[in-house]
Amino acid sequence: MIAWIEENGLRIGTFPALDALAPALSVWFTTRGGGVSRPPFDSLNLGSHVGDSRTDVLENRRRLKKTLGIGANRVARGGQVHGTEIAFVKRGGTLEGTDGFMTVSRGLALAINSADCFPLMIHSPSEMVLAAIHVGRSGAAAGIIGKTFDLLYERYRIDPDNTVAVCGPGICPRCYEVGRDAAMAFPAYARMRRVKGWHLDLPRFIRTETERAGLKPANFFDSGLCTACESDLFSYRRDGDRTGRNWTLAMMIRR
Ligand SMILES: [Zn+2]
């Protein structure tokens, strides 16, 4: 289900099955190779608030945009805070305190920065609107997925029958051990695996929330990759405080 672009030393995941349903949509997710950052940020770290050299991060972003053919100022992203704030954007840049973006602009990439949290992209091919949200445990519990669909229905009148959702890499339930309080925020998705450990199935929660919002199960695309299981992805849980960030990007291409 994943195809890989290997170019300029970068290895970028894509979703070829999207083409039939959403021909204008491209979704890409990065892996660690092909950048210039030194350990522990080696090497394609795209996060600028993790302690890495700013020059290296900017060079990594430049390489990524060049490889994907995205213009220099054509990436919109957020200073993500695990909240539910969603911004409508027409141009590139960083919006502080924002975990979600919507756009109708073609050729504008929406990027979600993550290292275990899930990036979720939602696109209506008939209304030509795109949303990108950062879904961690807090944002998920606070309802960012339902809020995004509500906005898409109200503001853009999207048709749930043709809307697609794409979920990038994030932490799998086996790797995601949480405390009891966190588990109890998602009672249907938490499981006690060992004597003390609660494990949370965030990917299943995300899939179910999209279906609750009206998405057809066949229109949900999942990378199936875990950031902590795959050594080729940055993982906060696996590597601790000092690690890099992956990007998942979505863009409606120009005709
Ligand atoms: Zn895992």
Side-chain angles (χ1 to χ4, degrees):
M1 187 145 163
I2 301 296
W4 298 96
I5 299 172
E6 299 196 35
E7 227 174 286
N8 304 326
L10 278 70
R11 186 163 170 268
I12 295 165
T14 64
F15 299 81
L18 275 176
D19 292 354
L21 291 173
L25 180 67
S26 284
V27 179
W28 304 281
F29 62 88
T30 62
T31 62
R32 294 182 70 148
V36 296
S37 293
R38 280 171 285 183
F41 307 107
D42 48 316
S43 62
L44 193 78
N45 166 41
L46 298 160
S48 53
H49 295 89
V50 293
D52 192 4
S53 137
R54 174 122 190 112
T55 316
D56 289 353
V57 173
L58 293 179
E59 171 60 17
N60 291 340
R61 290 178 184 166
R62 192 193 64 79
R63 289 183 181 196
L64 175 65
K65 286 183 263 189
K66 184 177 170 225
T67 302
L68 297 178
I70 297 171
N73 299 311
R74 299 295 283 165
V75 176
R77 55 200 183 80
Q80 301 163 183
V81 293
H82 300 274
T84 61
E85 198 58 41
I86 295 164
F88 296 90
V89 290
K90 290 180 176 168
R91 55 184 67 88
T94 308
L95 284 164
E96 292 307 325
T98 304
D99 284 83
F101 297 92
M102 283 184 192
T103 193
V104 293
S105 302
R106 289 168 174 257
L108 178 67
L110 307 182
I112 299 296
N113 193 49
S114 64
D116 295 341
C117 288
F118 286 86
L120 182 68
M121 310 302 190
I122 303 161
H123 166 66
S124 161
S126 53
E127 307 312 314
M128 284 305 284
V129 57
L130 172 65
I133 54 176
H134 168 237
V135 190
R137 193 179 71 217
S138 311
I144 193 169
I145 298 172
K147 181 179 177 184
T148 306
F149 272 93
D150 286 349
L151 285 170
L152 288 167
Y153 285 128
E154 284 160 22
R155 186 159 173 164
Y156 297 102
R157 308 276 165 208
I158 63 162
D159 177 357
D161 282 348
N162 65 25
T163 297
V164 299
V166 186
C167 191
I171 195 159
C172 80
R174 198 168 53 84
C175 294
Y176 197 24
E177 190 172 337
V178 297
R180 189 175 185 283
D181 287 353
M184 289 306 106
F186 303 84
Y189 302 90
R191 197 156 288 167
M192 175 80 86
R193 287 189 105 106
R194 268 178 264 119
V195 182
K196 276 202 274 181
W198 287 92
H199 288 252
L200 196 57
D201 193 344
L202 217 41
R204 188 163 61 87
F205 175 84
I206 291 169
R207 180 187 284 267
T208 308
E209 283 286 287
T210 62
E211 288 173 19
R212 236 179 234 157
L215 192 89
K216 282 165 47 178
N219 292 2
F220 186 88
F221 298 84
D222 188 348
S223 80
L225 294 177
C226 168
T227 41
C229 289
E230 302 286 333
S231 56
D232 204 21
L233 295 166
F234 292 109
S235 169
Y236 183 87
R237 271 299 169 111
R238 186 192 61 223
D239 302 329
D241 266 354
R242 284 176 63 80
T243 191
R245 293 291 181 272
N246 315 293
W247 270 13
T248 299
L249 305 102
M251 185 172 86
M252 297 186 293
I253 54 167
R254 295 170 189 279
R255 282 188 201 283

